[in-house]
């Protein structure tokens, strides 16, 4: 830097300072600060001398004009110290085809649900879509989108401090490692990478943890269980909850890897978790495993012991009683049930909390303003035991057991527990019975909420049951459809047709493109029949019929890229 | 074979609903007897009835026998989109008689306008005209005196105190300027009112606005000493209407559309189009605005990154780049446009480009935007923000209103590129487009008009 440059810079700064002082006079007013001569450069002062001014403010207006224009017209770029942008990183995610990117461009309305699917699919979100989302989506959604951003997009964001501030540097910091890890399978990670994954899971942002959980949910239970055990004790309660949600879907066999029940002692050891809610879920899981072990004829002492405890407590609540039929609720039930004799069972709620109930993880709710504590205890017990044990005690089918419980004197209090029980224990017969009893509009919210909550663990099974039973009003719930898509399922062609014909009356109630997009993703309608199916629906007028057809066609193409798992009515889910 | 592009067609849509409906019926089964010639596109739309759909490619002009008044209607849009997507749908080459008749009438009307003699003035008329002009100038002088006093008053009590003034005080001065037939000044004054006290940089902006108002009124007062074209420019800014077809010069040829931006307020819609003519390295700026309450729509046909063959008419000479454009024909001749020509014509030195710009501003210091085509610009970090720098490290700070920095990042990455920038003051720069792998990539929200 030469002396001449320094002199120029210093002169420029002085001029800028003087102008700022002059502007300050303009803000506070000439009448408050009449002295401004010191803020004028010599040339301006000389020029003012050549003109006569009638008023002081007229002179100030000229002074201001000359000074501002002098500064404005002298503004030239000067060489500055700046930092070149770093090189762009290499790509980690699989890019989408041009065709799929074109779908995003053509259907901006569906970006929301596409995003969910992209998060599932492990593809890089196209930069054009990301830019749209960054402009309009909520912060959590922006952060979620970022998990699937391609390397160039992340590089772009890292260059702009405003975006870093908005999205959170911690999220950006871990993104490369996150994408590297989820581009492979858990089973193929070496010890060092498992350690990295553990570290990332412990420190990462909530949205990233959600992304990791989605990825972990697609891993084999055999690989998942040991990894969860290494990270469990260091996690906070919300992360432990996420991990438990992953484990609930583990088949019993995975707990006995290498022919030994090595994971069961660990499960028993974590039953006393600090969090009451988590404790309750862990007990529920153990009970589900115990009932499953009974069905599979597995002889594992801790599970057999658990089963005995459950049966013992259940026997006190569901007891044979000749007088049971005299209750008023039975009369109502008799009118509904003609094919099967009513069980002579009375339903009794435990009035006292006992050691035995506590040992099963049953807890009295801290805030129990809406129902009796006794009914709540009974509900928790029933939820743990599940329909297969209920019917053993009641001497009837699972469906009948559900009917009896939902018409008992505790019907209202037990409904959510019965619903959760049939879902957790995967009782298709029970779920059908619950839908038959609770299927009207007023209970729909309860059904939807429970199904949405369990959708991730139960998706393929749940879809099969709901399609079999024709629960179209339930399946038409947007939140349930989204939850099913999030868990990575799509309906087979046969079931999609059944769905389409079954749900048509619900479709006619009104549509929007968001809903259509979800449907288009969830259903696999045969290409050849699609125009006719849409035409037969009577849902669209001449104009939007074409639009809807295009939407379906584009999304069907796009689905092939995402490898969604079609649910078949035949065959077994994982 | 000549073609018409989808983006160009879409830019004529009067609203997004018509465009969407047009897209949905753009299928061969919905039309018959589609024909195309150098001059027109026509066909029969099969809706609830049969509608004769016609497009004059010169102009362009649209006509349909459907009951919808707002043109182009969905039948016209659908037909044009269909032809753009699939030229094979064209089956006719002879124009139907009604179309020929319509085109002849249009030609006659245009010819009549062109050859219509300018007002035949009698001696009496000339004298009356001069008297009216003198009266108007006197009126404006009166308005300017009032404005001057108001500006002095603002500076006397201070901008901070002026911000507290009720709207009535401002409205009163505005009304007087309107009465004095100086609507341009009235609009500038309203902008000053809005600037004071709002935004981060309000002091500088407000002072600059006052200074420009002062300069403009001073220029009007000393107009006799200025060249005639500059006098016209100043009068137009103050509020004189420009007589139709009074252009100072015209250039016919292939123009490149480098940037299109639309702005909608509660009162009006405005469209700004930057065009460039490579053979003469000439820039031009088209400004269109319509009231949101009127049925008139902003003109379509301007898509950033496309070319337009036609005649551009400059409204003034040198002092402003404002212009009107007459397109020859909507059809693309299919002649390849090499956009890399921009790189060769661009300056590689930001300093010399801004220096030249400041010299222009000495002649015309009013609030126009000026374009700069600069090559080898790179995105850099400067004072914790992204900015542009030329190879010598001269910095172009991005305008605070430019919110699409990620689009710029997407188009440029960390590589040097040729850009169109505009600036009002030589300090803050607004990017409009980037030359990217031989293609022109627009940056900014509304780069495509019409949808």
């Amino acid at each position: 830097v030469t002396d001449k440059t320094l002199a120029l810079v210093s002169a420029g700064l002085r001029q800028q300072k003087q102008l700022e002082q002059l502007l300050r006079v303009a803000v506070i007013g000439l009448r408050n600060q009449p002295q401004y001569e010191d803020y004028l450069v010599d040339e301006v002062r000389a020029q003012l001398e050549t003109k006569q001014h009638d008023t002081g403010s007229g002179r100030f207006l000229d002074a201001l004009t000359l000074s501002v224009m002098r500064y404005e017209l002298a503004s030239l770029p000067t060489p500055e110290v700046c930092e070149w942008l770093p090189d762009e990183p290499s790509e980690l995610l699989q890019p989408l085809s041009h065709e799929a990117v074109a779908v995003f461009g053509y259907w901006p309305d569906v970006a929301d649900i596409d995003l969910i699917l992209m998060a599932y699919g492990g593809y890089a979100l196209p930069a054009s879509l990301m830019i749209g989302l960054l402009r309009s989506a909520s912060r959590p959604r922006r952060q979620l989108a970022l998990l699937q951003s391609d390397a160039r997009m992340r590089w772009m964001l890292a260059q702009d401090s405003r975006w870093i501030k908005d999205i959170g540097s911690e999220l950006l910091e871990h993104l490369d490692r996150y994408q590297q890890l989820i581009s492979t399978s858990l089973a193929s990670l070496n010890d060092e990478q498992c350690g990295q994954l553990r570290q990332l899971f412990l420190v990462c942002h909530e949205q990233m943890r959600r992304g990791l959980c989605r990825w972990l949910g697609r891993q084999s239970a055999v690989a998942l269980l040991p990894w969860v055990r290494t990270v469990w004790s260091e996690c906070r309660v919300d992360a432990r909850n996420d991990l438990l949600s992953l484990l609930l879907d583990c088949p019993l066999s995975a707990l006995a890897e290498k022919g030994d029940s090595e994971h069961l002692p660990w499960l028993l050891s974590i039953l006393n978790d600090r969090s009451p809610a988590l404790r309750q879920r862990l007990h529920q899981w153990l009970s589900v495993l115990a009932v499953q072990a009974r069905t599979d004829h597995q002889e594992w002492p801790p599970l057999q012991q658990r089963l005995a405890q459950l049966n013992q407590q259940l026997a006190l609540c569901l007891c044979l009683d000749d007088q049971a039929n005299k209750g008023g609720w039975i009369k109502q039930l008799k009118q509904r049930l003609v094919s099967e004799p009513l069980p002579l069972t009375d339903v009794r709620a435990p009035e006292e909390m006992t050691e035995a109930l506590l040992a099963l993880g049953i807890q009295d709710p801290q805030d129990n303003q809406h129902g009796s504590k006794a009914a709540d205890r009974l509900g928790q017990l029933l939820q743990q035991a599940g329909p297969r044990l209920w019917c053993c005690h009641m001497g009837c089918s699972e469906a009948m057991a559900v009917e009896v419980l939902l018409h008992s004197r505790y019907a209202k209090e037990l409904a959510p527990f019965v619903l959760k029980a049939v879902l957790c224990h995967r009782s298709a017969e029970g779920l059908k019975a619950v839908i038959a009893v609770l299927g009207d509009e007023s209970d729909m919210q309860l059904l939807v909420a429970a199904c949405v909550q369990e959708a991730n663990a139960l998706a393929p099974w749940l879809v099969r049951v709901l399609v079999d039973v024709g629960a179209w009003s339930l399946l038409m719930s947007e939140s349930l459809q989204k939850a099913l898509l999030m868990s990575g399922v799509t309906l087979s062609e046969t079931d999609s047709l059944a769905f389409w014909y079954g749900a048509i009356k619900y479709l006619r109630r009104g549509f929007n493109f968001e809903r259509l997009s979800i449907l288009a993703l969830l259903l696999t309608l045969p290409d050849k029949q699609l125009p006719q199916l849409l035409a037969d629906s009577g849902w669209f007028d001449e104009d939007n019929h074409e639009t809807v057809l295009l939407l379906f066609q584009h999304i069907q193409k796009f689905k092939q890229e995402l490898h969604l798992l079609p649910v078949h009515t035949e065959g077994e889910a994982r | 074979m000549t073609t018409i592009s989808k983006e160009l067609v879409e830019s004529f849509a009067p609203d997004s609903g018509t465009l969407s409906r047009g897209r949905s019926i753009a299928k061969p089964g919905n039309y018959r007897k589609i024909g195309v010639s150098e001059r027109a596109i026509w066909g029969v739309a099969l809706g609830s009835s049969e509608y004769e759909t016609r497009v004059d490619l010169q102009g362009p002009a649209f006509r349909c026998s459907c009951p919808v008044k707002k043109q182009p209607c969905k039948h016209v849009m659908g037909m044009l989109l269909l032809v753009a997507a699939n030229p094979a749908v064209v089956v006719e080459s002879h124009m139907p008689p009604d179309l020929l008749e319509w085109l002849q009438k249009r030609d006659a009307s245009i010819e009549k306008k062109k050859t219509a003699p300018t007002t035949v003035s009698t001696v009496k008329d000339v004298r009356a005209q001069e008297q009216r002009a003198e009266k108007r100038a006197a009126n404006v002088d009166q308005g300017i005196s009032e404005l001057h006093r108001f500006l002095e008053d603002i500076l006397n009590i201070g901008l901070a105190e002026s911000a507290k003034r009720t709207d009535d005080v401002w409205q009163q001065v505005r009304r007087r300027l309107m009465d004095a037939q100086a609507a341009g000044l009235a609009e500038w004054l309203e902008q000053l009112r809005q600037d004071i006290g709002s935004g981060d940089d309000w002091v500088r902006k407000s002072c600059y606005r006052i200074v420009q108002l002062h300069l403009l009124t001073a220029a009007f007062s000393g107009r006799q000493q200025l060249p005639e074209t500059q006098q016209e420019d100043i009068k137009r800014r103050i509020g004189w209407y420009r007589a139709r077809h009074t252009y100072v010069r015209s250039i016919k040829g292939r123009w490149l559309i480098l940037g299109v931006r639309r702005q909608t307020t509660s009162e009006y819609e405005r469209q700004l189009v930057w065009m460039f003519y490579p053979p003469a390295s000439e820039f031009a700026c088209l400004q269109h605005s319509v009231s949101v309450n009127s049925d008139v729509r902003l003109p379509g046909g301007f898509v950033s990154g496309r070319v337009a063959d036609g005649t551009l008419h400059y409204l003034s000479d040198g002092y402003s780049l404002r212009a009107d454009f007459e397109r020859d024909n909507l059809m693309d001749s299919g002649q390849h446009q090499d956009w890399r020509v921009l790189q060769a014509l661009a300056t590689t030195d930001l300093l010399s480009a801004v220096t030249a710009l400041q010299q222009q501003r000495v002649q015309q210091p009013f609030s126009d935007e000026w374009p700069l085509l600069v090559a080898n610009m790179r995105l850099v970090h400067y004072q914790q923000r992204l900015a542009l720098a030329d190879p010598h490290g001269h910095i172009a700070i991005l305008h605070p209103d430019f919110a699409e920095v990620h689009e710029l990042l997407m188009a440029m990455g960390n590589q040097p590129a040729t850009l169109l920038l505009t600036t009002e003051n030589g300090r803050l720069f607004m990017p409009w487009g980037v030359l990217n792998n031989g293609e022109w990539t627009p940056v900014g929200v509304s780069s495509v008009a019409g949808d």
Side-chain angles (χ1 to χ4, degrees):
Chain A
V1 182
T2 62
D3 288 348
K4 196 179 168 189
T5 314
L6 280 174
L8 277 171
V9 169
S10 125
L13 283 174
R14 196 166 54 245
Q15 194 185 338
Q16 189 176 348
K17 217 167 194 175
Q18 283 175 316
L19 181 67
E20 277 168 13
Q21 295 289 351
L22 207 62
L23 296 185
R24 187 190 287 245
V25 176
V27 172
I28 61 176
L30 195 60
R31 67 180 180 187
N32 298 315
Q33 191 182 341
Q35 296 304 322
Y36 59 87
E37 289 301 313
D38 290 348
Y39 312 140
L40 303 179
V41 295
D42 292 342
E43 289 85 346
V44 170
R45 212 177 289 129
Q47 233 170 327
L48 287 171
E49 294 304 319
T50 62
K51 190 178 171 187
Q52 283 209 329
H53 294 94
D54 297 338
T55 60
S57 48
R59 184 177 188 273
F60 181 66
L61 180 56
D62 274 350
L64 185 71
T65 302
L66 287 168
S67 301
V68 166
M69 289 316 293
R70 196 183 143 79
Y71 174 77
E72 282 282 331
L73 298 176
S75 290
L76 292 174
T78 51
E80 303 279 356
V81 178
C82 59
E83 194 186 327
W84 301 112
L85 303 191
D87 288 340
E88 296 175 30
S90 56
E91 193 53 74
L92 295 170
L93 294 177
Q94 197 178 349
L96 273 180
S97 68
H98 288 301
E99 201 172 39
V101 174
V103 177
F104 286 121
Y106 200 68
W107 297 108
D109 290 342
V110 305
D112 189 42
I113 191 65
D114 286 338
L115 169 64
I116 292 167
L117 278 170
M118 294 303 293
Y120 165 79
Y123 284 85
L125 278 178
S128 52
L129 175 67
M130 271 298 296
I131 284 178
L133 286 168
L134 291 173
R135 199 181 281 144
S136 59
S138 63
R139 190 163 185 261
R141 193 152 280 286
R142 289 200 296 274
Q143 289 171 328
L144 186 63
L146 199 65
L147 297 182
Q148 293 302 125
S149 59
D150 65 13
R152 187 153 197 263
M153 188 71 220
R154 294 201 308 285
W155 173 87
M156 281 164 55
L157 295 173
Q159 307 313 316
D160 191 343
S161 56
R162 285 170 298 183
W163 284 114
I164 297 173
K165 197 176 166 190
D166 172 65
I167 283 161
S169 56
E170 60 171 316
L171 193 62
L172 280 170
E173 197 182 319
H174 300 304
L175 264 173
D176 276 359
R177 207 188 323 159
Y178 166 84
Q179 291 194 347
Q180 264 162 355
L181 286 169
I182 66 159
S183 62
T184 179
S185 70
L186 183 59
S188 66
L189 296 185
N190 59 29
D191 287 350
E192 189 191 344
Q193 287 168 321
C194 276
Q196 284 180 352
L197 177 64
R198 187 172 139 267
Q199 191 61 24
L200 186 64
F201 191 85
L202 292 172
V203 300
C204 72
H205 187 274
E206 188 191 343
Q207 294 290 3
M208 189 176 277
R209 200 176 69 232
R210 277 181 58 191
L212 281 175
C213 285
R214 269 197 301 277
W215 173 74
L216 287 166
R218 296 196 296 272
Q219 308 305 313
S220 77
V222 174
L224 184 65
L225 261 162
W227 184 82
V228 170
R229 284 180 61 178
T230 64
V231 77
W232 180 273
S233 58
E234 292 176 72
C235 287
R236 291 193 320 196
V237 64
D238 48 351
R240 291 205 301 278
N241 249 314
D242 289 346
L243 289 176
L244 181 56
S245 300
L246 294 171
L247 295 181
L248 292 179
D249 199 25
C250 273
L252 191 59
S253 57
L255 287 159
E257 172 71 349
K258 299 170 195 166
D260 178 16
S261 58
E262 62 173 25
H263 298 300
L264 275 176
W266 170 74
L267 172 57
L268 294 171
S269 74
I270 59 169
L271 279 176
N272 290 324
D273 196 276
R274 288 191 302 279
S275 154
L278 194 57
R279 216 157 50 224
Q280 214 166 12
R281 291 185 74 199
L282 284 163
H283 275 281
Q284 171 73 41
W285 185 32
L286 191 64
S287 294
V288 169
L289 291 173
V291 175
Q292 207 179 327
R294 171 182 166 270
T295 315
D296 296 352
H297 306 291
Q298 301 281 2
E299 292 181 1
W300 287 327
L303 296 183
Q304 284 172 322
Q305 192 189 339
R306 180 78 178 186
L307 196 64
Q309 285 174 324
L310 280 172
N311 275 324
Q312 195 185 7
Q313 292 306 310
L314 215 53
L316 297 173
C317 299
L318 304 175
C319 40
L320 288 174
D321 186 346
D322 288 344
Q323 300 300 309
N325 284 1
K326 290 183 179 174
W329 54 275
I330 281 297
K331 282 182 191 164
Q332 193 190 346
L333 192 57
K334 264 184 178 173
Q335 292 166 1
R336 287 171 53 87
L337 303 171
V338 285
S339 57
E340 198 175 343
L342 264 176
L344 300 176
T345 309
D346 195 14
V347 181
R348 293 175 193 163
E351 290 300 329
E352 299 292 332
M353 178 60 93
T354 62
E355 286 298 322
L357 288 172
L358 283 172
L360 284 169
I362 289 167
Q363 304 164 19
D364 277 343
Q366 287 174 346
D367 173 26
N368 191 28
Q369 295 169 344
H370 303 297
S372 79
K373 282 187 178 177
D376 204 89
R377 286 177 208 130
L378 174 63
Q380 289 182 54
L381 180 64
L382 289 170
Q383 189 180 325
Q384 284 204 22
R388 284 184 203 100
L389 289 195
W390 307 340
C391 60
C392 290
H393 284 265
M394 295 163 90
C396 62
S397 66
E398 290 179 31
M400 173 63 83
V402 168
E403 289 265 8
V404 169
L405 290 171
L406 292 181
H407 287 89
S408 70
R409 63 175 74 89
Y410 303 111
K412 198 176 169 193
E413 292 97 327
L414 291 184
F417 294 104
V418 169
L419 179 53
K420 282 208 170 165
V422 298
L423 290 171
C424 293
H425 289 267
R426 298 195 181 188
S427 164
E429 203 185 329
L431 181 57
K432 287 173 189 175
V434 171
I435 291 169
V437 178
L438 300 180
D440 61 13
E441 293 286 333
S442 57
D443 294 314
M444 189 53 74
Q445 219 172 345
L446 181 70
L447 275 167
V448 169
C451 289
V452 167
Q453 201 178 354
E454 303 296 333
N456 198 37
L458 304 175
W461 173 83
L462 188 60
V463 169
R464 274 199 304 277
V465 177
L466 295 180
V467 171
D468 280 349
V469 78
W472 310 119
S473 56
L474 190 59
L475 272 168
M476 277 308 293
S477 150
E478 200 173 314
S479 52
L480 179 57
Q481 288 173 357
K482 272 189 181 176
L484 291 172
L485 284 170
M486 276 291 282
S487 62
V489 300
T490 185
L491 266 64
S492 67
E493 202 168 281
T494 315
D495 286 345
S496 296
L497 281 171
F499 185 110
W500 184 261
Y501 288 121
I504 206 94
K505 68 173 179 181
Y506 299 98
L507 294 173
R508 283 191 186 128
R509 287 182 189 172
F511 78 97
N512 56 46
F513 282 107
E514 166 101 23
R515 291 203 70 184
L516 267 180
S517 310
I518 297 170
L519 269 183
L521 285 161
L522 193 62
L523 304 182
T524 311
L525 295 172
D527 284 347
K528 285 182 183 168
Q529 292 181 38
L530 194 55
Q532 198 55 47
L533 287 171
L534 293 174
D536 290 346
S537 72
W539 193 12
F540 322 103
D541 62 24
E542 182 198 337
D543 283 353
N544 57 30
H545 177 267
E546 290 300 321
T547 314
V548 171
L549 182 62
L550 272 174
L551 174 72
F552 267 84
Q553 285 168 344
H554 274 280
I555 287 185
Q556 292 306 318
K557 276 184 200 168
F558 179 60
K559 272 166 75 173
Q560 289 162 12
E561 300 256 355
L562 292 168
H563 310 296
L564 286 170
L565 174 72
V567 177
H568 294 285
T569 316
E570 303 82 28
E572 187 51 58
R574 62 175 176 148
Chain B
M1 185 183 173
T2 52
T3 56
I4 189 163
S5 75
K6 177 174 153 280
E7 293 87 350
L8 188 70
V9 170
E10 290 181 348
S11 75
F12 284 98
D15 52 63
S16 56
T18 307
L19 178 59
S20 168
R21 287 189 289 276
R23 276 178 184 152
S24 68
I25 59 168
K27 291 201 315 179
N30 289 333
Y31 291 89
R32 61 184 185 86
K33 291 186 182 174
I34 292 183
V36 173
S37 73
E38 291 288 322
R39 175 69 196 267
I41 299 178
W42 64 94
V44 177
L46 308 174
S48 46
S49 175
E50 290 195 355
Y51 302 115
E52 286 171 352
T53 307
R54 313 283 184 244
V55 178
D56 179 359
L57 294 167
Q58 287 177 15
F62 310 97
R63 203 173 77 156
C64 182
S65 59
C66 76
V68 175
K69 282 184 186 168
K70 193 157 61 176
Q71 290 294 336
C73 65
K74 70 171 182 177
H75 304 110
V76 172
M77 289 304 297
M79 181 180 69
L80 290 175
L81 286 169
L82 182 57
V83 172
N86 183 11
V89 295
V90 176
V91 291
E92 301 277 324
S93 57
H94 294 293
M95 288 191 246
D98 71 295
L99 175 60
L100 281 169
E101 193 184 334
W102 179 54
L103 293 177
Q104 279 165 1
K105 273 185 189 168
R106 278 183 49 76
D107 285 344
S109 163
I110 292 165
E111 194 57 29
K112 196 175 167 186
K113 274 182 198 163
K114 276 185 186 168
T115 55
T118 48
T119 318
V120 182
S121 308
T122 61
V123 176
K124 194 177 170 185
D125 283 336
V126 170
R127 194 173 299 149
Q129 244 176 9
E130 281 173 359
Q131 280 174 349
R132 280 200 298 275
E134 279 168 20
K135 194 178 172 195
R136 177 163 189 189
N139 263 345
V140 172
D141 279 334
Q142 180 70 26
I144 283 174
S145 300
E146 295 219 20
L147 177 64
H148 220 263
R149 278 197 294 278
F150 187 64
L151 294 180
E152 284 182 18
D153 190 40
I154 287 175
L155 292 176
N156 200 32
I157 65 167
L159 291 168
E161 195 64 29
S162 298
K164 296 176 194 165
R165 279 182 158 169
T166 60
D167 280 354
D168 288 353
V169 178
W170 291 88
Q171 287 300 338
Q172 201 177 351
V173 185
R174 271 194 74 190
R175 268 199 299 274
R176 283 188 192 151
L177 287 171
M178 296 297 283
D179 292 345
Q181 296 174 284
L185 292 177
E187 196 180 326
W188 281 35
L189 190 68
E190 173 59 17
Q191 283 167 358
L192 173 62
R193 187 187 69 81
Q194 288 172 13
D195 285 344
I196 292 181
S198 72
D200 292 338
D201 199 25
W202 74 269
V203 172
R204 195 178 289 272
K205 270 168 82 176
S206 310
C207 286
Y208 189 54
R209 188 82 68 188
I210 290 173
V211 164
Q212 287 199 314
L213 267 169
H214 181 42
L215 281 173
L216 186 60
T217 54
F220 182 76
S221 302
R223 61 187 175 281
Q224 306 300 349
Q225 294 156 24
L226 298 174
E228 198 176 329
T229 47
Q230 200 169 2
Q231 283 186 38
E232 289 302 316
D233 185 47
I234 286 162
K235 281 162 88 175
R236 185 179 52 76
R237 288 171 193 278
I238 282 178
W240 264 264
Y241 286 111
R242 180 175 57 85
R244 292 192 71 151
H245 305 301
T246 51
Y247 303 120
V248 291
R249 64 195 176 101
S250 302
I251 298 179
K252 182 173 171 58
R254 168 161 288 196
W255 285 80
L256 311 188
I257 302 172
L258 299 188
V260 182
R261 230 166 250 172
R262 281 188 169 187
Q263 180 196 7
T264 306
T265 69
S266 56
E267 291 174 3
Y268 59 81
E269 278 183 281
R270 190 169 280 174
Q271 175 173 278
L272 203 68
V273 184
W274 278 106
M275 302 184 80
F276 185 69
Y277 184 61
S281 275
E282 292 259 17
F283 279 103
C285 180
L286 314 185
Q287 291 182 28
H288 310 121
S289 65
V290 293
S291 163
V292 289
N293 300 319
S294 77
D295 289 337
V296 183
R297 313 300 305 172
L298 287 171
F302 298 102
V303 182
S304 186
R306 297 269 167 181
V307 297
D309 293 312
T311 310
L312 188 126
H313 307 285
Y314 282 99
L315 307 186
S316 64
D317 198 5
Y319 302 109
S320 164
L321 295 170
R322 283 189 63 176
D324 286 344
F325 187 70
E326 269 184 76
R327 189 187 283 270
D328 287 345
N329 195 302
L330 276 188
M331 286 291 207
D332 184 353
S333 65
Q335 198 184 330
H336 173 70
Q337 174 61 46
D338 186 2
W339 287 79
R340 276 171 295 205
V341 69
L342 292 174
Q343 192 169 356
L345 295 171
T347 173
T348 53
D349 178 3
L350 187 67
L351 178 62
S352 56
V354 177
T355 306
L357 159 79
Q358 296 294 39
Q359 281 163 2
Q360 279 177 299
R361 289 181 74 212
V362 170
Q363 295 297 314
Q364 202 279 79
F366 309 113
S367 62
D368 278 350
E369 276 187 288
W370 296 92
L372 304 171
L373 196 58
V374 197
N376 290 329
M377 294 294 278
R378 288 177 73 165
L379 277 165
V380 292
H381 290 295
Y382 174 66
Q383 294 182 348
Q384 299 179 327
R385 284 285 171 97
L386 281 171
L388 291 159
D390 73 0
H392 311 290
H394 294 120
I395 298 291
I397 296 169
L398 297 175
H399 197 288
D401 290 348
F402 181 71
E404 293 82 18
V405 72
H406 36 283
E407 287 186 10
L408 206 55
L409 271 165
M410 190 162 80
M412 293 177 72
N414 66 347
Q415 298 300 310
T418 300
L419 286 111
L420 171 68
L421 302 168
T422 58
T423 179
E424 280 182 22
N425 52 23
R427 280 195 313 277
L428 300 173
F429 295 82
M430 180 73 84
W432 288 74
V434 179
L435 187 63
N436 196 353
N437 296 325
E439 297 279 325
W440 187 254
T441 308
V443 289
V445 182
S446 319
S447 49
V448 177
D451 190 5

